[in-house]
């Protein structure tokens, strides 16, 4: 990969070394996020006019941020998850915020604040009542470390994005994250009840976050994290077999080839989906390309994990197994919302395209 300069091998080594402590839940990701703060990664997604490099917010910055997410995914999926949310938040404010909102947000982030997007509701959906928010957000990744987040709130006009300070510890519920994977992401519930809403906190119009191709197309950033994790698992599996002195076994070499193939396929699909969404280089449409890639990478990851389990055996389930940790974290991270709906949407786009004979002979669209 053409790894972006700020993601040095030393930084990746430190992120990888801390991933076990995150997995055990003995501490949060502050140490790892401080490492990101010490680089240009927090500010890099902003447009150059706002002091950034345009990584993730401009077509020419798509592949650099792809590389960053890819290598972070291989080092620590919880950290990659938080950083991907940070990039998503910058993109949404860049696309929908006013110049003043963009400027104030950039100042906060350039000063070291981690941003996030908390869109999942608990059974108490977040709404706007008078001049305050009501309800509770679920699956708030980076809870306690993310300082400013885009919260989504239901209104009669649609879903409204709200940019809010989320540092009030009295609103945190870490105990709700009762799972065996992605422990280091420090996800949990955030109580929005009574959070005062000002006019400057509203980002864009209701439902503006659903504008395409950015909404579904932006899933490519998560796919970059998946691909990085799959590449790491392939490398670790090869290293394990090499230590065991079994690389000459023809069956094991065949298994290794299949594991590597799944990894390489995921990288290619994720990279193509990045280009489809950000540069218009699509086969079907940017949205369908990304959503089909998401489905294919999920299936590829599940096949890869199953083959690794056969090779690694019980060692994959030992506490402290780096390979087992990545497999568990990836298995959970793959569980995004409405997966069947995403595939159905992509299929509908593809089906409509089949009625136009011109689209069946168009191999690559650079328009």
């Amino acid at each position: 990969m053409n790894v972006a300069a700020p993601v040095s091998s030393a930084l990746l080594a430190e992120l990888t070394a801390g991933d076990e402590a995150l997995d055990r839940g003995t501490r949060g990701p502050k140490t790892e996020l401080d490492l990101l703060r010490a680089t240009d990664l927090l500010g890099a997604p902003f447009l150059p006019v706002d002091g950034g490099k345009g990584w993730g917010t401009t077509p020419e910055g798509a592949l650099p941020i792809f590389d960053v997410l890819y290598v972070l995914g291989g080092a620590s999926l919880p950290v990659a998850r938080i950083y991907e949310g940070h990039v998503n938040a910058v993109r949404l404010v860049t696309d929908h915020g006013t110049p003043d909102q963009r400027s104030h947000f950039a100042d906060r982030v350039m000063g070291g604040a981690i941003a996030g997007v908390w869109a999942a509701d608990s059974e108490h959906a977040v709404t706007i009542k008078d001049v305050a928010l009501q309800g509770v957000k679920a699956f708030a990744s980076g809870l306690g470390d993310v300082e400013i987040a885009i919260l989504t709130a239901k209104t009669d006009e649609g879903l409204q994005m709200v940019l809010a300070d989320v540092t009030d510890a009295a609103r945190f519920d870490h105990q709700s994250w009762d799972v065996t994977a992605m422990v280091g992401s420090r996800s949990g519930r955030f109580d929005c009840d009574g959070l005062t809403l000002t006019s400057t906190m509203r980002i864009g119009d209701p439902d503006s976050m659903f504008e395409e191709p950015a909404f579904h197309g932006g899933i490519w950033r998560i796919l970059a994290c998946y691909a990085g994790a799959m590449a790491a698992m392939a490398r670790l599996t090869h290293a394990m077999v090499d230590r065991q002195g079994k690389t000459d076994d023809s069956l094991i070499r065949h298994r290794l080839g299949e594991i590597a193939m799944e990894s390489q396929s995921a990288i290619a699909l994720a990279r193509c989906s990045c280009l489809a969404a950000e540069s218009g280089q699509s086969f079907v449409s940017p949205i369908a390309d990304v959503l089909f890639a998401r489905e294919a990478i999920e299936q590829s990851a599940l096949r890869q994990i199953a083959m690794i389990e056969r090779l690694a055996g019980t060692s994959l389930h030992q506490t402290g197994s780096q390979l087992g940790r990545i497999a568990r974290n990836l298995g959970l991270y793959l569980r995004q919302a409405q997966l069947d709906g995403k595939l159905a949407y992509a299929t509908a786009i593809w089906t409509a395209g089949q009625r136009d004979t011109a689209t069946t002979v168009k191999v690559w669209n650079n328009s």
Side-chain angles (χ1 to χ4, degrees), residues 175-333:
Q175 301 306 311
S176 62
W177 189 241
D178 186 20
V179 295
T180 59
M182 294 295 281
V183 176
S185 69
R186 294 277 283 177
S187 299
R189 294 188 175 205
F190 182 79
D191 189 346
C192 299
D193 278 351
L195 193 64
T196 302
L197 177 66
T198 66
S199 59
T200 58
M201 292 167 62
R202 294 174 183 259
I203 302 295
D205 297 323
D207 284 344
S208 60
M209 75 176 298
F210 297 124
E211 290 181 5
E212 299 288 12
F215 179 62
H216 281 105
I219 290 174
W220 73 260
R221 292 187 297 270
I222 298 175
L223 303 188
C225 300
Y226 292 171
M230 291 176 67
M233 287 195 295
R235 291 194 301 270
L236 289 168
T237 304
H238 176 264
M240 176 193 70
V241 170
D242 194 40
R243 285 194 307 271
Q244 296 170 344
K246 296 180 179 179
T247 52
D248 291 333
D249 185 301
S250 59
L251 177 57
I252 289 178
R253 288 183 67 83
H254 180 77
R255 289 286 189 194
L256 281 176
E258 290 183 316
I259 289 168
M261 178 186 68
E262 300 292 3
S263 170
Q264 293 301 110
S265 297
I267 294 170
L269 284 167
R271 193 177 177 90
C272 281
S273 70
C274 167
L275 293 173
E278 302 298 330
S279 301
Q281 299 178 17
S282 59
F283 289 94
V284 178
S285 80
I287 299 169
D289 283 6
V290 172
L291 294 181
F292 278 139
R294 200 229 68 83
E295 179 73 17
I297 290 175
E298 178 195 357
Q299 294 182 20
S300 184
L302 294 175
R303 288 193 299 268
Q304 187 194 46
I305 291 171
M307 287 186 286
I308 291 172
E309 285 180 329
R310 291 184 69 87
L311 284 180
T314 57
S315 68
L316 196 70
H317 300 277
Q318 290 178 339
T319 302
S321 167
Q322 183 184 3
L323 186 54
R325 180 170 67 249
I326 297 174
R328 279 188 290 105
N329 285 340
L330 180 58
L332 179 61
Y333 199 3

Side-chain angles (χ1 to χ4, degrees), residues 123-146:
E123 62 274 17
H124 304 296
V126 174
T127 60
I128 296 176
K129 184 177 181 180
D130 298 326
V131 291
L133 298 181
Q134 300 291 329
V136 178
K137 282 297 173 187
F139 310 132
S141 294
L143 186 65
D145 293 289
V146 167

Side-chain angles (χ1 to χ4, degrees), residues 156-176:
D156 291 339
E157 293 76 31
L159 200 65
Q160 177 66 54
M161 291 186 287
V162 175
L163 189 62
D165 183 289
V166 291
T167 57
D168 184 359
R171 297 179 179 276
F172 301 168
D173 176 12
H174 285 291
Q175 301 306 311
S176 62

